[in-house]
Amino acid sequence: MTDPKDLDPKALRQAFGAFATGVTVVTTRQPDGTPRGFTANSFTSVSLDPPLLLVCLAKTAHSADTFAAAPHFAVNILSEDQKAVSGLFASRAPDKFAQCAWTPGPADMPLIDGALATFTCANHQLVDAGDHLILIGRIHDFATAEGQPLGYFRGNYFSVGIEKDLAEAAAATKGSRLGAVLACNGGVLLKDDGKLCLPLAPQPTLDSLTASLTAQGLMPEIDFVYAAFDDRSTGGHAVYYHGTVHGTLPNGYRILPLADLASAALANPAEAQMLCRYAEDFRNGSFSIYHGTETTGQTRQLGA
């Protein structure tokens, strides 16, 4: 096992960036009433009883001392059209609150207009954690709004929706691929050119995938990202969507029945594992999203 002192900080930061998160702006007031705020994606719900949440703040941040001493703070979860707000509060601009719309909320905490959710908290506990402070807040008030969240993945923003931006940001790296698990006539569509594989896009974009299938007389309908993982064999990423497809089967394709998915001899072991999971998901009537590597990872259930 590697000694923690020998870990490469840059590589570790990139590894942390593999976890897609939302984006928040954390706000408070100085003793003289001046509003302060910073952008953070290290936001986590902690407890419902009592209602607690946490955010992490670098000790080197200009506002670290202010937040450590403040009796209250607020967390604003940004919507997908608030990239500029995120960038503003990640900067060292001296007049951040003069450049965005905000409203005084409970405990006079600054709340960002247009946020998807806001939480006003009392400073419940301050934990010293290496080069960061963990601010644990006890929630006294909260509000929510309709909309899509602003996401952050590997140093880039994305909008959740169909997760297209996230998938294509991951697949844009050299050695990456983008494909799909497409249900069709009681089975799954496979490419068969002597070796079985799932349909892949000529270029690692969703538009490229759908255009390629459409050009062959098929009509794909994409639902959501089914698997996104680091493929160490190529040094890139693999992103596979879930969906359905209709139309006359073109040459070089076949339908693999659901009953045969678990024993399918696919050329790519990761795709073979994916079809085993698909068969299980289909039986359970509840689909999931996989993330990890080509061999090990975690799944998150989506529902029926």
Side-chain angles (χ1 to χ4, degrees), residues 23 51 103 108 110 185 197 210 236 250 277 287 290:
V23 183
T103 304
D108 203 30
N185 297 332
C197 67
T210 56
R277 178 165 65 91
F287 286 94
Y290 171 87

Side-chain angles (χ1 to χ4, degrees), residues 29-41:
R29 287 189 186 268
Q30 296 178 173
D32 64 1
T34 302
R36 299 291 296 271
F38 67 95
T39 298
N41 65 343

Side-chain angles (χ1 to χ4, degrees), residues 19 224-229 270 273-278 280-281 284 286-293 295-303:
F19 181 61
F224 52 84
V225 173
Y226 190 59
F229 54 90
Q273 289 184 5
M274 203 180 312
L275 289 188
C276 287
R277 178 165 65 91
Y278 182 89
E280 184 176 354
D281 283 350
N284 295 335
S286 178
F287 286 94
S288 57
I289 294 177
Y290 171 87
H291 63 92
T293 71
T295 56
T296 59
Q298 297 179 335
T299 58
R300 176 168 60 87
Q301 293 302 124
L302 291 176

Side-chain angles (χ1 to χ4, degrees), residues 62-219:
H62 284 179
S63 56
D65 292 341
T66 298
F67 276 89
H72 295 88
F73 65 90
V75 178
N76 304 265
I77 298 179
L78 300 186
S79 63
E80 63 181 347
D81 60 353
Q82 292 183 304
K83 293 180 184 178
V85 176
S86 172
L88 173 64
F89 282 90
S91 74
R92 295 194 173 185
D95 54 350
K96 297 182 179 68
F97 287 89
Q99 301 179 52
C100 75
W102 62 280
T103 304
D108 203 30
M109 289 296 98
L111 302 182
I112 306 299
D113 293 356
L116 277 189
T118 58
F119 303 88
T120 303
C121 307
N123 196 328
H124 180 74
Q125 187 177 359
L126 184 67
V127 179
D128 188 309
D131 56 8
H132 276 64
L133 297 173
I134 301 175
L135 305 175
I136 301 177
R138 182 163 186 145
I139 302 166
H140 283 190
D141 193 86
F142 69 95
T144 60
E146 293 297 322
Q148 294 289 349
L150 178 63
Y152 198 70
F153 176 73
R154 293 195 184 277
N156 294 296
Y157 293 110
F158 69 91
S159 300
V160 175
I162 199 173
E163 296 173 309
K164 177 180 177 181
D165 292 343
L166 168 61
E168 293 185 0
T173 306
K174 184 179 179 180
S176 298
R177 65 184 182 277
L178 188 147
V181 181
L182 299 173
C184 182
N185 297 332
V188 171
L189 180 70
L190 293 180
K191 178 80 171 171
D192 186 359
D193 56 1
K195 295 182 179 180
L196 291 178
C197 67
L198 289 168
L200 296 176
Q203 302 294 328
T205 67
L206 183 58
D207 290 343
S208 173
L209 175 65
T210 56
S212 173
L213 294 172
T214 301
Q216 298 175 78
L218 295 170
M219 295 175 287

